[in-house]
Amino acid sequence: MTITAKYCNNCNYILHADKNHCASCFSDDLETKELKGLGEVYSYTKIHAAPKDYADIAPYYIVLIDLDEGLRITGRYIGESVEINQKVKVDNVDKNAYIFKALEE
Ligand SMILES: [Zn+2]
């Protein structure tokens, strides 16, 4: 499982994959690249009262991840507990959400 992002060929800024113009220099000369899928937990919240589609997996964590390449994305975290600055890797994609797990070191 990989995460992709776009890089600006004009100024090398990194952007979310759904962007069409560089947020830094407004160029549309963007190139899609694969990311390693590794990062650190920037913030998280635990969901106890889940929407119906997710009730069977509650409680679960929504996490904000700072990827090694410098992009911040949201996802779900699979595990008993999670901490700020914890190292994680993307595991798969479920219902359009990136699923992260702890990175074993
Ligand atoms: Zn740019």
Side-chain angles (χ1 to χ4, degrees):
M1 169 56 221
T2 56
I3 296 176
T4 60
K6 286 181 181 170
Y7 282 84
C8 176
N9 281 326
N10 187 44
C11 74
N12 211 34
Y13 195 81
I14 184 171
L15 299 140
H16 286 272
D18 61 343
K19 302 296 187 213
N20 295 312
H21 289 87
C22 175
S24 177
C25 73
F26 307 108
S27 169
D28 62 0
D29 183 9
L30 307 179
E31 187 177 341
T32 300
K33 293 184 183 177
E34 285 190 358
L35 306 182
K36 289 179 294 179
L38 301 174
E40 284 186 2
V41 177
Y42 172 76
S43 187
Y44 66 88
T45 186
K46 192 172 189 178
I47 306 294
H48 291 276
K52 204 173 110 198
D53 286 357
Y54 300 93
D56 56 328
I57 60 167
Y60 59 90
Y61 294 97
I62 299 293
V63 286
L64 262 179
I65 304 297
D66 282 339
L67 295 175
D68 285 359
E69 291 86 353
L71 203 61
R72 180 171 293 166
I73 67 171
T74 57
R76 287 207 310 275
Y77 176 86
I78 303 295
E80 288 298 305
S81 63
V82 64
E83 289 175 24
I84 303 292
N85 295 330
Q86 180 179 325
K87 299 216 181 300
V88 294
K89 64 177 177 186
V90 71
D91 188 57
N92 62 66
V93 175
D94 178 52
K95 294 171 185 165
N96 292 323
Y98 293 116
I99 310 298
F100 287 92
K101 279 186 169 177
L103 183 66
E104 332 255 316
E105 293 188 79

